[in-house]
Amino acid sequence: MNPVVHVLRRMGGRATTILPLALGVGLLFQDVAAAARPLLWPLAVVLLMLALARMDWARVSYLLRRPGLAILLSLASLIVVPLAVWPVWQTLGLWPGLVTALCLSAMAPGTISAPTTAGFLRLDSSLAVLMTLFSNFLVPFTLPPLALWLLGFELHISAVELSLRLALIVVLAALGAWAIRRALAGRLVEHVPTLDGLSVIVLMIFAIPLMDGVVARAIAEPVKLAGFIAGAFAGMVLCNLILTAGCLPFLSGREALTAGYCSGGRHNALLMAVLPASADPDVFLFIAAVQFPLYLMPTLLEPVYRRLLRG
């Protein structure tokens, strides 16, 4: 076996163990973090491409024949979950900027990396892909009114521009996934660990621009950064639990856990493009802090999901 393929397969088989190391990579390369920001968009395409290449397309076809489930779950994630968490964060006496950030985060769409990490966790990656796509398409219509109603923020999001941007990501990722599946032909299952290994590498590179400025804030405000990281963990867990609990009476355990997992991981970087200039700077600190649970949660949740899915 080719040594590179061997290493990738081993990385793919230990994805949830390796993922936390991506944070170290991001923190280590602070000097290139800002310069690496233009890589976020193409890396998002590659992440989605690898997720599409390894997924069960028969399952996707089945879900698309009944798209109501994925659309309903996406709307629940974008509307019901923020309405449920808003009073919780308002009553805890946290930093005002952290409360605002936690509420805004709950209104954000699913993160592009969710289908990839859902695959690592043996969740329904096909449902995760559709929830990610639908929530990103729907967020221009849900985020502005919720932010204005609950937080008094007036956000201006171009629904057409955002939808076209996501559509381009999807089209490019789908074309790349089609090329991969065609090249592998009937050997796709055999090469899934290799694709997972490539996804791990992409996620590690992805962490570099996302960690931009974190070390400086850690030196300047270590207690505050630690508090924001703890809040980010709590926010992800709460959003996850709310949607999972709401889905369990109606869906299979695997589908409910997948819906909750997608609700926990949000595309917080989107907020950077839509927040008003008057927004609390602490909101941007949260966007950096939330990367810690995004990269650590798959490792922490793996034994939980393994046990629940076996049961």
Side-chain angles (χ1 to χ4, degrees):
M1 181 185 296
N2 185 301
V4 175
V5 173
H6 177 70
V7 170
L8 289 174
R9 290 175 68 87
R10 289 182 67 84
M11 291 179 70
R14 294 167 175 78
T16 54
T17 303
I18 296 173
L19 271 182
L21 298 177
L23 294 173
V25 173
L27 294 171
L28 183 63
F29 288 96
Q30 286 286 288
D31 290 344
V32 299
R37 281 193 173 275
L39 293 176
L40 285 173
W41 193 87
L43 287 171
V45 173
V46 176
L47 268 180
L48 186 58
M49 176 186 71
L50 294 171
L52 292 173
R54 74 182 301 284
M55 77 166 44
D56 181 356
W57 277 96
R59 170 69 173 160
V60 173
S61 299
Y62 171 79
L63 290 171
L64 284 175
R65 285 197 295 272
R66 296 177 175 85
L69 173 62
I71 293 174
L72 185 62
L73 291 175
S74 299
L75 287 172
S77 179
L78 291 171
I79 300 174
V80 178
V81 172
L83 291 175
V85 303
W86 179 77
V88 176
W89 301 128
Q90 290 290 328
T91 58
L92 290 181
L94 303 173
W95 286 292
L98 179 56
V99 172
T100 299
L102 285 166
C103 294
L104 283 172
S105 178
M107 302 174 197
T111 178
I112 294 293
S113 63
T116 300
T117 50
F120 296 157
L121 296 170
R122 303 299 181 259
L123 296 174
D124 190 339
S125 58
S126 302
L127 179 59
V129 164
L130 294 184
M131 282 190 65
T132 298
L133 298 181
F134 286 140
S135 65
N136 276 272
F137 276 122
L138 292 169
V139 75
F141 308 101
T142 61
L143 178 57
L146 275 177
L148 182 61
W149 179 31
L150 299 180
L151 302 172
F153 277 175
E154 188 170 352
L155 304 179
H156 301 283
I157 302 178
S158 169
V160 173
E161 181 185 352
L162 191 59
S163 297
L164 287 176
R165 189 182 305 176
L166 180 64
L168 182 58
I169 291 175
V170 173
V171 168
L172 292 176
L175 288 172
W178 174 81
I180 291 172
R181 292 176 71 92
R182 184 175 177 83
L184 296 177
R187 299 173 292 125
L188 179 63
V189 174
E190 174 190 345
H191 287 280
V192 163
T194 305
L195 296 177
D196 286 347
L198 287 170
S199 297
V200 171
I201 290 175
V202 174
L203 282 167
M204 293 181 79
I205 299 172
F206 205 73
I208 295 174
L210 292 176
M211 289 289 102
D212 182 26
V214 172
V215 171
R217 291 301 293 262
I219 294 171
E221 301 175 282
V223 174
K224 195 169 193 177
L225 178 60
F228 272 55
I229 292 173
F233 271 100
M236 286 188 68
V237 170
L238 184 59
C239 289
N240 188 330
L241 288 177
I242 287 172
L243 196 54
T244 300
C247 291
L248 277 174
F250 310 103
L251 303 177
S252 69
R254 187 166 181 250
E255 289 173 331
L257 290 172
T258 301
Y261 180 74
C262 291
S263 179
R266 303 292 182 131
H267 187 187
N268 291 277
L270 173 71
L271 301 175
M272 298 176 70
V274 300
L275 284 171
S278 58
D280 191 327
D282 282 352
V283 175
F284 299 99
L285 175 63
F286 177 86
I287 293 171
V290 79
Q291 305 310 318
F292 287 84
L294 278 174
Y295 276 84
L296 291 172
M297 273 300 185
T299 303
L300 298 174
L301 289 175
E302 183 182 30
V304 177
Y305 287 154
R306 187 189 304 123
R307 183 163 188 166
L308 291 174
L309 292 173
R310 281 178 181 171

